[in-house]
Amino acid sequence: MSLNTTDFEIILKKINAFLSNELLQVENAGRGKSWNELLPLLDAIREKVKSENLWTPQIPKDYGGLGLSLAQFGKVSEILGKSPFGHYVFNCQAPDAGNMEILIEHGTDEQKERFLKPLLAGEIRSCFSMTEPEYAGSNPTMMGTTGVKDGDDYIINGHKWFTSSADGAAFAIVMCLTNSDAENRYQRASQIIVPTTNPGFRFIRNIPVMGEAGEGYASHAEIKYENCRVPKENLLGGDGAGFVIAQQRLGPGRIHHCMRWMGICERAFDMMCQRAVSRELSPGKMLAEKQTIQNWIAESRAEINAARMMVMDAANKIDSEGTYAARQEVSLIKFYCAGILQKVLDRAIQVHGALGITDDLVLSYWYRHERGARIYDGADEVHKSRAAREILKNYGLKKV
Ligand SMILES: Cc1cc2nc3c(=O)[nH]c(=O)nc-3n(C[C@H](O)[C@H](O)[C@H](O)COP(=O)(O)OP(=O)(O)OC[C@H]3O[C@@H](n4cnc5c(N)ncnc54)[C@H](O)[C@@H]3O)c2cc1C
């Protein structure tokens, strides 16, 4: 799946224009407002995205998307990443984008009709519920949530947290143990769709994160599943297929995130350079003349360029050989890009001085929101270890 170069260039131009004419304007209008207060404005922009035929760019044409390759969507993701609202107004935001992919790949006709169709249309939101407070999320085979078969139903019991965007979501895809006795620990869990209206879906709270209470799409929830009875028709992809589906989802998802981070880096870099050439330290002497600032600018430019090339390399490999073949590249970009993101944001803030940490600029928003980048979708240390093991296999390291 990919679009020819000419059509793709036209789309990139249109999305770039959308960023300047619409998205950057919302940022000014929305300063100080909560996510829910901004929704009417964002929904109006969503309608414009639809009318310009740019909606769900990451989705195949058969399902109403633009039919881009992963590498092409990566370039779109970078442009949209320059605004905190970019992915949401194009309906390619996490976790919905990943859930759309799961439903397209593994959903039954009935599941597609009931859950995928309204998700693609932007009429509902969804969430992905896997991590648990009592177990190390870095080892996803360890979990306490169970889905026990009872006649034609599964009964789910368990405790989850960091279920992003659960507040206001219509359904959750829940990872739970349905085959605890399976010899292969990667075949013990399943993914099951749970409508959030189910009486057994108990929303506990939005977890306060980095000084923000969180609400609606911009939230991370704690949830209890209490005798949550769902029909077996809600099982995704087969009993015990939970990890296989999760791995397929996470490869492309990490490309989406990494390229979104490149967008944030570019915006922060631009702001850093603008400030350096406009801030006067003494009469006629600009901040940009200081060598430390010049070092930050040169290092940031080199690091962003290198990171982008690494992500595009991984995306091209997934496009041509599949997610499994690119697992080393995906682990490398996940920790490398998250680290570059933190560095560039930090330097941009430092160059702005006190202004950098105010909420008058978007930098402080990203600084709070993206500290998590080194943790979600696999912590740095996990990815470094995974990449190193893949490399060392070529040097004779036995499977560990
Ligand atoms: C912003 C954000 C959004 C999230 N959204 C979701 C979501 O929508 N759905 C969901 O299910 N989960 C979500 N998560 C949870 C995320 O997937 C987990 O936080 C992550 O997998 C790490 O698990 P943990 O927090 O339990 O940390 P732990 O597994 O307890 O690890 C703690 C730390 O130990 C270190 N560590 C772990 N393993 C190793 C190792 N092998 N070698 C060396 N050091 C190691 C790392 O430094 C790691 O940060 C989200 C998390 C964040 C921060």
Side-chain angles (χ1 to χ4, degrees), residues 95 128-132 135-139 161-164 220 369 372 374-379 381-382 385:
F128 188 78
S129 204
M130 178 160 163
T131 307
E132 305 184 358
Y135 292 87
S138 302
N139 177 2
W161 83 336
F162 272 87
T163 300
S164 298
H220 308 287
H369 280 246
R374 291 184 52 211
I375 299 170
Y376 61 75
D377 279 10
E381 296 72 18
V382 174
S385 175

PDB file of all heavy atoms in Angstrom, residues 95 128-132 135-139 161-164 220 369 372 374-379 381-382 385, ligand 1:
ATOM      1  N   PRO A  95      -4.604   6.347  21.315  1.00  0.00           N
ATOM      2  CA  PRO A  95      -4.496   4.935  20.962  1.00  0.00           C
ATOM      3  C   PRO A  95      -5.474   4.493  19.872  1.00  0.00           C
ATOM      4  O   PRO A  95      -5.483   3.334  19.467  1.00  0.00           O
ATOM      5  CB  PRO A  95      -4.854   4.242  22.286  1.00  0.00           C
ATOM      6  CG  PRO A  95      -5.866   5.170  22.918  1.00  0.00           C
ATOM      7  CD  PRO A  95      -5.459   6.563  22.520  1.00  0.00           C
ATOM      8  N   PHE A 128      -6.807   1.430  25.063  1.00  0.00           N
ATOM      9  CA  PHE A 128      -6.125   0.134  25.088  1.00  0.00           C
ATOM     10  C   PHE A 128      -5.676  -0.126  26.515  1.00  0.00           C
ATOM     11  O   PHE A 128      -4.891   0.641  27.081  1.00  0.00           O
ATOM     12  CB  PHE A 128      -4.930   0.158  24.132  1.00  0.00           C
ATOM     13  CG  PHE A 128      -4.295  -1.180  23.942  1.00  0.00           C
ATOM     14  CD1 PHE A 128      -4.875  -2.132  23.115  1.00  0.00           C
ATOM     15  CD2 PHE A 128      -3.119  -1.505  24.606  1.00  0.00           C
ATOM     16  CE1 PHE A 128      -4.289  -3.390  22.945  1.00  0.00           C
ATOM     17  CE2 PHE A 128      -2.531  -2.757  24.446  1.00  0.00           C
ATOM     18  CZ  PHE A 128      -3.123  -3.694  23.610  1.00  0.00           C
ATOM     19  N   SER A 129      -6.153  -1.221  27.111  1.00  0.00           N
ATOM     20  CA  SER A 129      -6.028  -1.416  28.555  1.00  0.00           C
ATOM     21  C   SER A 129      -5.186  -2.646  28.855  1.00  0.00           C
ATOM     22  O   SER A 129      -5.683  -3.768  28.899  1.00  0.00           O
ATOM     23  CB  SER A 129      -7.464  -1.607  29.088  1.00  0.00           C
ATOM     24  OG  SER A 129      -7.577  -1.272  30.426  1.00  0.00           O
ATOM     25  N   MET A 130      -3.887  -2.401  29.080  1.00  0.00           N
ATOM     26  CA  MET A 130      -2.980  -3.532  29.269  1.00  0.00           C
ATOM     27  C   MET A 130      -2.186  -3.410  30.576  1.00  0.00           C
ATOM     28  O   MET A 130      -2.106  -4.350  31.361  1.00  0.00           O
ATOM     29  CB  MET A 130      -2.013  -3.581  28.082  1.00  0.00           C
ATOM     30  CG  MET A 130      -0.984  -4.656  28.149  1.00  0.00           C
ATOM     31  SD  MET A 130      -0.362  -4.946  26.496  1.00  0.00           S
ATOM     32  CE  MET A 130       1.126  -5.813  26.833  1.00  0.00           C
ATOM     33  N   THR A 131      -1.616  -2.238  30.844  1.00  0.00           N
ATOM     34  CA  THR A 131      -0.699  -2.082  31.984  1.00  0.00           C
ATOM     35  C   THR A 131      -1.445  -2.116  33.310  1.00  0.00           C
ATOM     36  O   THR A 131      -2.548  -1.588  33.432  1.00  0.00           O
ATOM     37  CB  THR A 131       0.074  -0.754  31.840  1.00  0.00           C
ATOM     38  OG1 THR A 131       0.665  -0.725  30.554  1.00  0.00           O
ATOM     39  CG2 THR A 131       1.147  -0.617  32.897  1.00  0.00           C
ATOM     40  N   GLU A 132      -0.800  -2.748  34.307  1.00  0.00           N
ATOM     41  CA  GLU A 132      -1.423  -2.897  35.632  1.00  0.00           C
ATOM     42  C   GLU A 132      -0.489  -2.336  36.703  1.00  0.00           C
ATOM     43  O   GLU A 132       0.725  -2.519  36.614  1.00  0.00           O
ATOM     44  CB  GLU A 132      -1.693  -4.381  35.906  1.00  0.00           C
ATOM     45  CG  GLU A 132      -2.522  -5.009  34.793  1.00  0.00           C
ATOM     46  CD  GLU A 132      -2.896  -6.455  35.060  1.00  0.00           C
ATOM     47  OE1 GLU A 132      -2.477  -7.005  36.105  1.00  0.00           O
ATOM     48  OE2 GLU A 132      -3.605  -7.027  34.219  1.00  0.00           O
ATOM     49  N   TYR A 135       1.912  -5.034  38.501  1.00  0.00           N
ATOM     50  CA  TYR A 135       2.890  -5.838  37.756  1.00  0.00           C
ATOM     51  C   TYR A 135       3.752  -4.938  36.881  1.00  0.00           C
ATOM     52  O   TYR A 135       3.270  -3.909  36.388  1.00  0.00           O
ATOM     53  CB  TYR A 135       2.165  -6.852  36.853  1.00  0.00           C
ATOM     54  CG  TYR A 135       1.444  -7.928  37.635  1.00  0.00           C
ATOM     55  CD1 TYR A 135       0.146  -7.727  38.067  1.00  0.00           C
ATOM     56  CD2 TYR A 135       2.084  -9.124  37.957  1.00  0.00           C
ATOM     57  CE1 TYR A 135      -0.529  -8.704  38.799  1.00  0.00           C
ATOM     58  CE2 TYR A 135       1.431 -10.106  38.688  1.00  0.00           C
ATOM     59  CZ  TYR A 135       0.125  -9.897  39.109  1.00  0.00           C
ATOM     60  OH  TYR A 135      -0.521 -10.858  39.826  1.00  0.00           O
ATOM     61  N   ALA A 136       5.015  -5.331  36.673  1.00  0.00           N
ATOM     62  CA  ALA A 136       5.922  -4.529  35.830  1.00  0.00           C
ATOM     63  C   ALA A 136       5.451  -4.590  34.380  1.00  0.00           C
ATOM     64  O   ALA A 136       5.476  -5.667  33.752  1.00  0.00           O
ATOM     65  CB  ALA A 136       7.344  -5.060  35.956  1.00  0.00           C
ATOM     66  N   GLY A 137       5.034  -3.436  33.869  1.00  0.00           N
ATOM     67  CA  GLY A 137       4.565  -3.384  32.486  1.00  0.00           C
ATOM     68  C   GLY A 137       5.660  -3.748  31.492  1.00  0.00           C
ATOM     69  O   GLY A 137       5.379  -4.131  30.357  1.00  0.00           O
ATOM     70  N   SER A 138       6.921  -3.635  31.918  1.00  0.00           N
ATOM     71  CA  SER A 138       8.031  -3.964  31.023  1.00  0.00           C
ATOM     72  C   SER A 138       8.083  -5.451  30.696  1.00  0.00           C
ATOM     73  O   SER A 138       8.723  -5.854  29.725  1.00  0.00           O
ATOM     74  CB  SER A 138       9.361  -3.549  31.662  1.00  0.00           C
ATOM     75  OG  SER A 138       9.342  -2.179  31.945  1.00  0.00           O
ATOM     76  N   ASN A 139       7.441  -6.251  31.517  1.00  0.00           N
ATOM     77  CA  ASN A 139       7.307  -7.671  31.188  1.00  0.00           C
ATOM     78  C   ASN A 139       5.823  -7.963  31.002  1.00  0.00           C
ATOM     79  O   ASN A 139       5.130  -8.355  31.943  1.00  0.00           O
ATOM     80  CB  ASN A 139       7.876  -8.540  32.316  1.00  0.00           C
ATOM     81  CG  ASN A 139       7.679 -10.026  32.024  1.00  0.00           C
ATOM     82  OD1 ASN A 139       7.148 -10.392  30.965  1.00  0.00           O
ATOM     83  ND2 ASN A 139       8.090 -10.868  32.950  1.00  0.00           N
ATOM     84  N   TRP A 161      -4.126   0.341  34.859  1.00  0.00           N
ATOM     85  CA  TRP A 161      -3.933   1.796  34.915  1.00  0.00           C
ATOM     86  C   TRP A 161      -3.138   2.258  33.714  1.00  0.00           C
ATOM     87  O   TRP A 161      -2.644   1.459  32.940  1.00  0.00           O
ATOM     88  CB  TRP A 161      -3.375   2.235  36.264  1.00  0.00           C
ATOM     89  CG  TRP A 161      -1.890   2.146  36.499  1.00  0.00           C
ATOM     90  CD1 TRP A 161      -1.009   1.324  35.856  1.00  0.00           C
ATOM     91  CD2 TRP A 161      -1.141   2.938  37.419  1.00  0.00           C
ATOM     92  NE1 TRP A 161       0.242   1.523  36.348  1.00  0.00           N
ATOM     93  CE2 TRP A 161       0.193   2.530  37.308  1.00  0.00           C
ATOM     94  CE3 TRP A 161      -1.460   3.941  38.315  1.00  0.00           C
ATOM     95  CZ2 TRP A 161       1.213   3.081  38.068  1.00  0.00           C
ATOM     96  CZ3 TRP A 161      -0.450   4.502  39.071  1.00  0.00           C
ATOM     97  CH2 TRP A 161       0.868   4.063  38.941  1.00  0.00           C
ATOM     98  N   PHE A 162      -3.086   3.588  33.586  1.00  0.00           N
ATOM     99  CA  PHE A 162      -2.505   4.200  32.387  1.00  0.00           C
ATOM    100  C   PHE A 162      -3.213   3.745  31.115  1.00  0.00           C
ATOM    101  O   PHE A 162      -2.599   3.585  30.078  1.00  0.00           O
ATOM    102  CB  PHE A 162      -0.989   4.004  32.326  1.00  0.00           C
ATOM    103  CG  PHE A 162      -0.275   5.112  33.054  1.00  0.00           C
ATOM    104  CD1 PHE A 162      -0.046   5.013  34.420  1.00  0.00           C
ATOM    105  CD2 PHE A 162       0.073   6.285  32.409  1.00  0.00           C
ATOM    106  CE1 PHE A 162       0.546   6.058  35.128  1.00  0.00           C
ATOM    107  CE2 PHE A 162       0.657   7.333  33.100  1.00  0.00           C
ATOM    108  CZ  PHE A 162       0.901   7.226  34.463  1.00  0.00           C
ATOM    109  N   THR A 163      -4.518   3.519  31.244  1.00  0.00           N
ATOM    110  CA  THR A 163      -5.329   3.274  30.054  1.00  0.00           C
ATOM    111  C   THR A 163      -5.633   4.659  29.467  1.00  0.00           C
ATOM    112  O   THR A 163      -6.587   5.322  29.881  1.00  0.00           O
ATOM    113  CB  THR A 163      -6.612   2.499  30.423  1.00  0.00           C
ATOM    114  OG1 THR A 163      -6.235   1.238  31.005  1.00  0.00           O
ATOM    115  CG2 THR A 163      -7.466   2.250  29.204  1.00  0.00           C
ATOM    116  N   SER A 164      -4.781   5.067  28.526  1.00  0.00           N
ATOM    117  CA  SER A 164      -4.880   6.448  28.018  1.00  0.00           C
ATOM    118  C   SER A 164      -6.196   6.669  27.305  1.00  0.00           C
ATOM    119  O   SER A 164      -6.673   5.796  26.563  1.00  0.00           O
ATOM    120  CB  SER A 164      -3.726   6.733  27.043  1.00  0.00           C
ATOM    121  OG  SER A 164      -2.501   6.614  27.705  1.00  0.00           O
ATOM    122  N   HIS A 220      -5.159   9.680  31.435  1.00  0.00           N
ATOM    123  CA  HIS A 220      -4.694   8.295  31.641  1.00  0.00           C
ATOM    124  C   HIS A 220      -5.494   7.746  32.823  1.00  0.00           C
ATOM    125  O   HIS A 220      -5.394   8.283  33.924  1.00  0.00           O
ATOM    126  CB  HIS A 220      -3.201   8.274  31.957  1.00  0.00           C
ATOM    127  CG  HIS A 220      -2.382   9.038  30.956  1.00  0.00           C
ATOM    128  ND1 HIS A 220      -2.143   8.574  29.690  1.00  0.00           N
ATOM    129  CD2 HIS A 220      -1.791  10.255  31.036  1.00  0.00           C
ATOM    130  CE1 HIS A 220      -1.407   9.458  29.035  1.00  0.00           C
ATOM    131  NE2 HIS A 220      -1.192  10.488  29.820  1.00  0.00           N
ATOM    132  N   HIS A 369       4.369  16.647  28.779  1.00  0.00           N
ATOM    133  CA  HIS A 369       3.687  15.505  28.166  1.00  0.00           C
ATOM    134  C   HIS A 369       4.630  14.450  27.629  1.00  0.00           C
ATOM    135  O   HIS A 369       4.288  13.281  27.576  1.00  0.00           O
ATOM    136  CB  HIS A 369       2.761  15.984  27.044  1.00  0.00           C
ATOM    137  CG  HIS A 369       1.478  16.505  27.565  1.00  0.00           C
ATOM    138  ND1 HIS A 369       0.274  15.893  27.332  1.00  0.00           N
ATOM    139  CD2 HIS A 369       1.210  17.551  28.365  1.00  0.00           C
ATOM    140  CE1 HIS A 369      -0.676  16.558  27.953  1.00  0.00           C
ATOM    141  NE2 HIS A 369      -0.139  17.577  28.585  1.00  0.00           N
ATOM    142  N   GLY A 372       7.092  11.161  29.285  1.00  0.00           N
ATOM    143  CA  GLY A 372       6.627   9.773  29.197  1.00  0.00           C
ATOM    144  C   GLY A 372       7.140   9.027  27.976  1.00  0.00           C
ATOM    145  O   GLY A 372       7.079   7.795  27.924  1.00  0.00           O
ATOM    146  N   ARG A 374       9.978   8.300  27.100  1.00  0.00           N
ATOM    147  CA  ARG A 374      11.048   7.338  27.420  1.00  0.00           C
ATOM    148  C   ARG A 374      10.510   6.120  28.172  1.00  0.00           C
ATOM    149  O   ARG A 374      11.262   5.224  28.537  1.00  0.00           O
ATOM    150  CB  ARG A 374      12.152   8.030  28.231  1.00  0.00           C
ATOM    151  CG  ARG A 374      12.924   9.050  27.403  1.00  0.00           C
ATOM    152  CD  ARG A 374      14.072   9.645  28.196  1.00  0.00           C
ATOM    153  NE  ARG A 374      14.904   8.621  28.770  1.00  0.00           N
ATOM    154  CZ  ARG A 374      15.575   8.738  29.922  1.00  0.00           C
ATOM    155  NH1 ARG A 374      15.499   9.854  30.611  1.00  0.00           N
ATOM    156  NH2 ARG A 374      16.303   7.748  30.371  1.00  0.00           N
ATOM    157  N   ILE A 375       9.184   6.124  28.436  1.00  0.00           N
ATOM    158  CA  ILE A 375       8.589   5.032  29.217  1.00  0.00           C
ATOM    159  C   ILE A 375       7.524   4.268  28.420  1.00  0.00           C
ATOM    160  O   ILE A 375       7.549   3.038  28.356  1.00  0.00           O
ATOM    161  CB  ILE A 375       7.969   5.600  30.522  1.00  0.00           C
ATOM    162  CG1 ILE A 375       9.054   6.260  31.375  1.00  0.00           C
ATOM    163  CG2 ILE A 375       7.258   4.488  31.314  1.00  0.00           C
ATOM    164  CD1 ILE A 375       8.527   7.053  32.565  1.00  0.00           C
ATOM    165  N   TYR A 376       6.583   5.013  27.802  1.00  0.00           N
ATOM    166  CA  TYR A 376       5.483   4.284  27.125  1.00  0.00           C
ATOM    167  C   TYR A 376       5.968   3.569  25.869  1.00  0.00           C
ATOM    168  O   TYR A 376       6.973   3.925  25.297  1.00  0.00           O
ATOM    169  CB  TYR A 376       4.274   5.192  26.847  1.00  0.00           C
ATOM    170  CG  TYR A 376       4.470   6.396  25.955  1.00  0.00           C
ATOM    171  CD1 TYR A 376       4.605   6.284  24.569  1.00  0.00           C
ATOM    172  CD2 TYR A 376       4.472   7.680  26.501  1.00  0.00           C
ATOM    173  CE1 TYR A 376       4.739   7.396  23.754  1.00  0.00           C
ATOM    174  CE2 TYR A 376       4.605   8.803  25.698  1.00  0.00           C
ATOM    175  CZ  TYR A 376       4.740   8.648  24.321  1.00  0.00           C
ATOM    176  OH  TYR A 376       4.878   9.750  23.526  1.00  0.00           O
ATOM    177  N   ASP A 377       5.230   2.549  25.492  1.00  0.00           N
ATOM    178  CA  ASP A 377       5.609   1.669  24.367  1.00  0.00           C
ATOM    179  C   ASP A 377       6.994   1.055  24.570  1.00  0.00           C
ATOM    180  O   ASP A 377       7.722   0.816  23.610  1.00  0.00           O
ATOM    181  CB  ASP A 377       5.566   2.421  23.024  1.00  0.00           C
ATOM    182  CG  ASP A 377       4.147   2.505  22.476  1.00  0.00           C
ATOM    183  OD1 ASP A 377       3.209   2.162  23.214  1.00  0.00           O
ATOM    184  OD2 ASP A 377       3.986   2.905  21.324  1.00  0.00           O
ATOM    185  N   GLY A 378       7.354   0.812  25.815  1.00  0.00           N
ATOM    186  CA  GLY A 378       8.628   0.186  26.144  1.00  0.00           C
ATOM    187  C   GLY A 378       9.627   1.204  26.642  1.00  0.00           C
ATOM    188  O   GLY A 378       9.953   2.169  25.923  1.00  0.00           O
ATOM    189  N   ALA A 379      10.103   1.018  27.883  1.00  0.00           N
ATOM    190  CA  ALA A 379      11.079   1.950  28.468  1.00  0.00           C
ATOM    191  C   ALA A 379      12.408   1.862  27.707  1.00  0.00           C
ATOM    192  O   ALA A 379      12.722   0.829  27.102  1.00  0.00           O
ATOM    193  CB  ALA A 379      11.290   1.619  29.952  1.00  0.00           C
ATOM    194  N   GLU A 381      15.390   1.371  28.595  1.00  0.00           N
ATOM    195  CA  GLU A 381      16.302   0.280  28.982  1.00  0.00           C
ATOM    196  C   GLU A 381      15.887  -1.043  28.342  1.00  0.00           C
ATOM    197  O   GLU A 381      16.735  -1.868  27.972  1.00  0.00           O
ATOM    198  CB  GLU A 381      16.333   0.142  30.512  1.00  0.00           C
ATOM    199  CG  GLU A 381      16.886   1.356  31.254  1.00  0.00           C
ATOM    200  CD  GLU A 381      15.950   2.568  31.257  1.00  0.00           C
ATOM    201  OE1 GLU A 381      14.746   2.391  31.001  1.00  0.00           O
ATOM    202  OE2 GLU A 381      16.441   3.683  31.487  1.00  0.00           O
ATOM    203  N   VAL A 382      14.570  -1.228  28.210  1.00  0.00           N
ATOM    204  CA  VAL A 382      14.051  -2.471  27.606  1.00  0.00           C
ATOM    205  C   VAL A 382      14.451  -2.511  26.132  1.00  0.00           C
ATOM    206  O   VAL A 382      14.918  -3.537  25.612  1.00  0.00           O
ATOM    207  CB  VAL A 382      12.513  -2.537  27.768  1.00  0.00           C
ATOM    208  CG1 VAL A 382      11.942  -3.739  27.028  1.00  0.00           C
ATOM    209  CG2 VAL A 382      12.132  -2.561  29.241  1.00  0.00           C
ATOM    210  N   SER A 385      18.218  -3.063  25.630  1.00  0.00           N
ATOM    211  CA  SER A 385      18.574  -4.450  25.892  1.00  0.00           C
ATOM    212  C   SER A 385      18.125  -5.349  24.729  1.00  0.00           C
ATOM    213  O   SER A 385      18.872  -6.218  24.265  1.00  0.00           O
ATOM    214  CB  SER A 385      17.887  -4.845  27.208  1.00  0.00           C
ATOM    215  OG  SER A 385      18.081  -6.168  27.478  1.00  0.00           O
TER     216      SER A 385
HETATM  217  C1  LIG B   1       2.127   8.607  29.019  1.00  0.00           C
HETATM  218  C2  LIG B   1       1.887   7.135  29.111  1.00  0.00           C
HETATM  219  C3  LIG B   1       0.816   6.581  28.424  1.00  0.00           C
HETATM  220  C4  LIG B   1       0.555   5.211  28.535  1.00  0.00           C
HETATM  221  N1  LIG B   1      -0.532   4.675  27.890  1.00  0.00           N
HETATM  222  C5  LIG B   1      -0.846   3.377  28.061  1.00  0.00           C
HETATM  223  C6  LIG B   1      -2.034   2.831  27.480  1.00  0.00           C
HETATM  224  O1  LIG B   1      -2.788   3.515  26.782  1.00  0.00           O
HETATM  225  N2  LIG B   1      -2.352   1.529  27.749  1.00  0.00           N
HETATM  226  C7  LIG B   1      -1.544   0.735  28.526  1.00  0.00           C
HETATM  227  O2  LIG B   1      -1.892  -0.415  28.705  1.00  0.00           O
HETATM  228  N3  LIG B   1      -0.403   1.221  29.063  1.00  0.00           N
HETATM  229  C8  LIG B   1      -0.044   2.518  28.868  1.00  0.00           C
HETATM  230  N4  LIG B   1       1.091   3.042  29.454  1.00  0.00           N
HETATM  231  C9  LIG B   1       1.904   2.190  30.319  1.00  0.00           C
HETATM  232  C10 LIG B   1       3.274   1.800  29.724  1.00  0.00           C
HETATM  233  O3  LIG B   1       3.110   0.880  28.696  1.00  0.00           O
HETATM  234  C11 LIG B   1       4.144   1.276  30.883  1.00  0.00           C
HETATM  235  O4  LIG B   1       4.367   2.361  31.772  1.00  0.00           O
HETATM  236  C12 LIG B   1       5.485   0.709  30.416  1.00  0.00           C
HETATM  237  O5  LIG B   1       5.304  -0.502  29.726  1.00  0.00           O
HETATM  238  C13 LIG B   1       6.435   0.460  31.606  1.00  0.00           C
HETATM  239  O6  LIG B   1       5.814  -0.323  32.579  1.00  0.00           O
HETATM  240  P1  LIG B   1       5.790   0.151  34.112  1.00  0.00           P
HETATM  241  O7  LIG B   1       5.333   1.564  34.165  1.00  0.00           O
HETATM  242  O8  LIG B   1       5.033  -0.856  34.876  1.00  0.00           O
HETATM  243  O9  LIG B   1       7.302   0.188  34.563  1.00  0.00           O
HETATM  244  P2  LIG B   1       8.179  -1.067  35.077  1.00  0.00           P
HETATM  245  O10 LIG B   1       7.991  -2.227  34.183  1.00  0.00           O
HETATM  246  O11 LIG B   1       7.915  -1.238  36.527  1.00  0.00           O
HETATM  247  O12 LIG B   1       9.650  -0.530  34.860  1.00  0.00           O
HETATM  248  C14 LIG B   1      10.174   0.566  35.632  1.00  0.00           C
HETATM  249  C15 LIG B   1      11.524   0.941  35.122  1.00  0.00           C
HETATM  250  O13 LIG B   1      12.399  -0.145  35.299  1.00  0.00           O
HETATM  251  C16 LIG B   1      13.391  -0.145  34.296  1.00  0.00           C
HETATM  252  N5  LIG B   1      13.379  -1.429  33.582  1.00  0.00           N
HETATM  253  C17 LIG B   1      12.301  -2.189  33.281  1.00  0.00           C
HETATM  254  N6  LIG B   1      12.674  -3.291  32.598  1.00  0.00           N
HETATM  255  C18 LIG B   1      14.018  -3.236  32.488  1.00  0.00           C
HETATM  256  C19 LIG B   1      14.991  -4.064  31.872  1.00  0.00           C
HETATM  257  N7  LIG B   1      14.651  -5.197  31.218  1.00  0.00           N
HETATM  258  N8  LIG B   1      16.306  -3.680  31.944  1.00  0.00           N
HETATM  259  C20 LIG B   1      16.651  -2.544  32.595  1.00  0.00           C
HETATM  260  N9  LIG B   1      15.771  -1.713  33.177  1.00  0.00           N
HETATM  261  C21 LIG B   1      14.472  -2.052  33.124  1.00  0.00           C
HETATM  262  C22 LIG B   1      13.055   1.011  33.339  1.00  0.00           C
HETATM  263  O14 LIG B   1      13.826   2.135  33.671  1.00  0.00           O
HETATM  264  C23 LIG B   1      11.595   1.273  33.635  1.00  0.00           C
HETATM  265  O15 LIG B   1      11.213   2.625  33.363  1.00  0.00           O
HETATM  266  C24 LIG B   1       1.392   4.387  29.344  1.00  0.00           C
HETATM  267  C25 LIG B   1       2.475   4.965  30.020  1.00  0.00           C
HETATM  268  C26 LIG B   1       2.723   6.321  29.921  1.00  0.00           C
HETATM  269  C27 LIG B   1       3.882   6.907  30.685  1.00  0.00           C
END
